[in-house]
Amino acid sequence: MHTKLTTAYFTMEIGIDARMPTYAGGLGILAADIMRSCADLRVNAACVTIGWRHGYLAQHIRADGTQEYEQFAWKKEEFLKKLPQTVTVEVEGRTVTIGCWLYTVQSGDHSVPVYFLDTDLEGNDPADRGITGQLYGGDGAMRLRQEIVLGIGGVRMLRALGYRDIGTFHMNEGHAAFLTLELLRERDYKDDAVRASCAFTTHTPVKAGHDVFPYDLAHRIVGDMLPWHIRKIAGNDALSMTELALNMSRYTCGVSQIHGEVSRKMFPGHAVDSITNGVHHIYWACPEMQELFDRRASGWREDPAVLEMVSRSFDDEELWNAHMAAKQRLIDEVNRQTGKQFSAQCLTIASARRVVPYKRPELLYTNLERLKEVCSGSVQIIHAGNAHPSDPYSQEVIQRMVQRGKELEGSVQIAYLENYNPDLARILVAGTDVWLNTPMRLHEASGTSGMKACLNGVLNLSSLDGWWAEAYGRDPEAGWRIGPLVKAIDDPEEHRKVDAEDLYTQMQYEVVHEYYYSERRRWIRRMKRAIGLMGYFSSQRCVQEYCRKAWNV
Ligand SMILES: *Cc1c(COP(=O)(O)O)cnc(C)c1O
């Protein structure tokens, strides 16, 4: 075993296997792709996270669109190896013991360990056994307990595992910022000594998304681990995990160029760079595309940038056939799940994501008459996405979307698939013709699902935000934009109207027109260019950038 690490990557969630509910959404999926690429690139990395009993929930959608969310039980021992090491942390004056489970990300002969921390141990107070129970569950006090386990417990666990020399402690979002408190203790409370070995990625372009705790609560739960100068490093009025991470890191980045700009405005006085997210090129390519790439883009597994160089020389028919095989798999899944009769000959538009207001899931339904005019008989639409059980707003959105599907039944086929998870995502991003994403501008930090679509030759139709603003700038032929090129409109309602109108226009005069009334090779040419974007939007390029800018390798 190595005792030296280039980076210890701390993350509250990781979606490394759809059967392990240790994630909630994009943040966890990204962490998994970054670890996969670290393994490919032989980076000496380790991931520290929490072995949640319950994270992502299984979703069932009833015929009327209402939903059930169910925790699904999983047995850690079926996926993970229990390690003998334990460490302790103080929580509200009680001593809590933390155990550790190992998952190994293997690539060739290089591996990256993922350490899952766990407080569900015999000796712990029953209340403390639940600290690693529910990802993002509970109140502020519970969140503080969880963040103590991740940050302070995580550093102690790495030490117990024998890691002495760790180049960079990486905080994937502010949740992990308490790791700096343990490093301060290790290093005689010298801020500079801690800052020299920490880096931070912020993911949240809206203020409300950042963890902030009142100091009386923080003192009660965290106790003596809060240093005397905590108000200086974590905010004067309340303890902000983001402030703490920003102040204790030598390097901070956002996750796309636009998000970097937004973050610099949000955190004046801090240097915030950007490293645009990426997706793992092998994990997210469907089997047919993998075979095609193996034949026509040799070396792409080691270096996805090969795809940028050769995708334009792919054979049209081969590429189309690979796409149609993936499409048939998706259509079969839709028909099996919904009993509908979707057809592989019909232009298919899919849109799947966590249901939150800024992603504007209902933008497509702004004007039903226009939608019918554009789509009747020529477009079929697939949705998927989970809401949170304690979020009635998002549950109602899903219910309304299911009902829209019924109202439009005679003219436009619409399906809402249940239980969006990485396994379903893999079928969707490869099998649809067009990937639709409609975030409110400046609100989508990066987005990654559209990158997965590109890799499979699926064309994006998206607002110019996050990663798509960059991709569209690189190659406007690789898909379509929604909304004007000029900067965002300030009034959200006005912004929504303009974008909705543009969405129908783009669909009618570009997407539908090109699919049915142009020569197929025009569409296929766009597919090749979409695949070419994978030269840049892979997690491999992303990790290479992290190595250079954040991890000093
Ligand atoms: C890729 C992925 C996400 C993140 O996608 P966004 O584009 O950020 O919405 C979320 N959930 C699952 C299951 C995914 O595969």
Side-chain angles (χ1 to χ4, degrees):
M1 157 163 168
H2 308 281
T3 55
K4 201 174 142 110
L5 287 175
T6 296
T7 186
Y9 187 88
F10 283 62
T11 182
M12 195 67 139
E13 50 171 299
I14 190 165
I16 196 85
D17 184 317
R19 297 165 299 172
M20 286 164 52
T22 54
Y23 68 98
L27 184 72
I29 308 283
L30 174 79
D33 279 354
I34 291 201
M35 290 306 114
R36 291 182 182 113
S37 285
C38 280
D40 294 342
L41 291 169
R42 310 182 64 79
V43 176
N44 265 331
C47 180
V48 178
T49 185
I50 289 186
W52 301 106
R53 174 172 287 276
H54 302 295
Y56 153 81
L57 302 160
Q59 177 199 46
H60 172 63
I61 303 179
R62 303 188 193 92
D64 64 356
T66 56
Q67 306 123 61
E68 265 169 80
Y69 290 90
E70 203 185 342
Q71 297 182 327
F72 63 97
W74 65 293
K75 292 206 171 73
K76 295 194 178 79
E77 57 276 16
E78 283 176 13
F79 300 90
L80 309 173
K81 182 170 159 233
K82 175 97 211 203
L83 300 179
Q85 286 81 359
T86 58
V87 295
T88 60
V89 290
E90 295 292 310
V91 177
E92 277 175 296
R94 295 187 303 278
T95 300
V96 177
T97 304
I98 303 172
C100 188
W101 299 80
L102 172 68
Y103 180 97
T104 304
V105 182
Q106 192 76 38
S107 176
D109 63 357
H110 190 73
S111 64
V112 167
V114 180
Y115 298 112
F116 286 93
L117 306 174
D118 186 9
T119 63
D120 189 11
L121 305 176
E122 291 281 331
N124 281 334
D125 188 292
D128 295 331
R129 293 182 68 158
I131 294 176
T132 57
Q134 177 73 58
L135 171 62
Y136 305 134
D139 53 6
M142 181 51 105
R143 185 68 72 87
L144 278 164
R145 295 181 195 111
Q146 296 173 333
E147 293 183 354
I148 292 170
V149 168
L150 176 65
I152 300 171
V155 175
R156 289 182 186 170
M157 184 57 73
L158 289 172
R159 300 306 186 204
L161 290 164
Y163 295 107
R164 290 285 150 245
D165 183 355
I166 298 173
T168 302
F169 290 83
H170 197 100
M171 294 169 258
N172 186 40
E173 197 47 292
H175 312 125
F178 282 162
L179 71 83
T180 63
L181 304 186
E182 176 64 4
L183 294 182
L184 276 170
R185 201 183 60 86
E186 283 185 351
R187 297 173 191 188
D188 290 332
Y189 295 93
K190 292 197 172 70
D191 292 0
D192 287 344
V194 174
R195 206 174 285 127
S197 48
C198 292
F200 170 45
T201 305
T202 176
H203 291 261
T204 317
V206 284
K207 271 259 187 289
H210 296 255
D211 277 347
V212 176
F213 305 103
Y215 273 114
D216 55 349
L217 180 68
H219 280 289
R220 179 160 71 76
I221 308 280
V222 189
D224 291 345
M225 283 304 291
L226 290 184
W228 63 273
H229 66 318
I230 187 70
R231 284 175 194 260
K232 192 173 143 229
I233 56 177
N236 198 40
D237 304 331
L239 192 161
S240 155
M241 297 300 276
T242 304
E243 277 285 316
L244 181 60
L246 282 165
N247 283 317
M248 299 310 284
S249 295
R250 63 156 196 267
Y251 176 83
T252 295
C253 65
V255 290
S256 69
Q257 284 172 12
I258 293 184
H259 180 233
E261 278 171 41
V262 170
S263 304
R264 281 189 287 279
K265 289 205 186 101
M266 263 174 88
F267 314 123
H270 292 284
V272 184
D273 195 17
S274 66
I275 297 179
T276 303
N277 284 342
V279 298
H280 192 258
H281 59 292
I282 303 173
Y283 183 80
W284 293 104
C286 70
E288 293 81 6
M289 284 299 161
Q290 292 197 15
E291 278 168 33
L292 173 72
F293 298 164
D294 284 341
R295 283 196 305 274
R296 302 287 176 188
S298 78
W300 75 282
R301 288 176 185 269
E302 294 72 33
D303 180 6
V306 168
L307 293 171
E308 187 170 353
M309 293 182 279
V310 305
S311 70
R312 294 198 199 179
S313 65
F314 288 167
D315 180 75
D316 282 13
E317 198 177 323
E318 251 182 279
L319 180 56
W320 188 251
N321 290 343
H323 172 62
M324 286 306 284
K327 187 170 179 181
Q328 191 61 53
R329 188 164 42 242
L330 171 61
I331 300 296
D332 290 346
E333 176 62 22
V334 170
N335 293 343
R336 186 190 64 78
Q337 236 194 65
T338 63
K340 293 183 192 274
Q341 291 186 324
F342 275 49
S343 152
Q345 302 315 312
C346 185
L347 170 58
T348 303
I349 297 183
S351 149
R353 52 201 35 94
R354 219 161 27 87
V355 178
V356 287
Y358 78 81
K359 292 187 185 250
R360 303 188 300 189
E362 295 176 284
L363 191 73
L364 188 59
Y365 301 103
T366 306
N367 182 340
L368 297 185
E369 287 312 309
R370 275 293 270 139
L371 182 67
K372 275 196 256 182
E373 185 192 342
V374 173
C375 296
S376 267
S378 56
V379 179
Q380 53 195 12
I381 298 166
I382 305 173
H383 297 291
N386 296 1
H388 196 271
S390 57
D391 176 2
Y393 165 83
S394 301
Q395 292 188 32
E396 280 168 29
V397 169
I398 295 175
Q399 188 174 358
R400 270 201 304 276
M401 287 170 73
V402 171
Q403 279 161 0
R404 290 274 182 268
K406 281 196 195 130
E407 281 161 44
L408 294 167
E409 206 142 31
S411 43
V412 191
Q413 293 235 71
I414 300 169
Y416 203 111
L417 299 184
E418 58 186 18
N419 208 20
Y420 183 46
N421 68 21
D423 288 344
L424 179 59
R426 279 159 103 172
I427 298 175
L428 275 165
V429 297
T432 184
D433 297 307
V434 174
W435 191 253
L436 174 70
N437 192 17
T438 55
M440 184 152 78
R441 201 119 37 117
L442 305 184
H443 284 67
E444 177 95 298
S446 166
T448 52
S449 56
M451 302 174 186
K452 303 166 193 169
C454 264
L455 170 67
N456 290 286
V458 166
L459 307 182
N460 276 269
L461 169 60
S462 293
S463 345
L464 286 176
D465 200 13
W467 84 283
W468 184 239
E470 285 166 53
Y472 189 82
R474 283 178 166 258
D475 189 351
E477 296 291 309
W480 299 274
R481 70 180 157 84
I482 302 167
L485 272 172
V486 293
K487 286 282 174 204
I489 302 162
D490 284 337
D491 174 35
E493 189 47 33
E494 184 59 25
H495 184 23
R496 198 180 63 84
K497 277 192 195 141
V498 169
D499 281 1
E501 194 45 47
D502 199 41
L503 170 57
Y504 297 126
T505 307
Q506 293 291 324
M507 281 171 69
Q508 185 165 19
Y509 297 106
E510 296 283 335
V511 184
V512 173
H513 186 85
E514 194 159 313
Y515 191 84
Y516 289 107
Y517 305 109
S518 298
E519 287 178 78
R520 181 57 26 97
R521 66 187 168 86
R522 279 192 61 179
W523 189 281
I524 295 174
R525 199 181 63 169
R526 285 189 191 269
M527 291 173 66
K528 294 176 186 174
R529 301 180 80 133
I531 294 169
L533 286 173
M534 239 342 92
Y536 188 78
F537 294 98
S538 70
S539 46
Q540 177 148 331
R541 185 271 314 150
C542 183
V543 167
Q544 282 162 337
E545 250 186 275
Y546 272 111
C547 282
R548 212 169 57 239
K549 297 168 155 184
W551 303 338
N552 292 353
V553 226

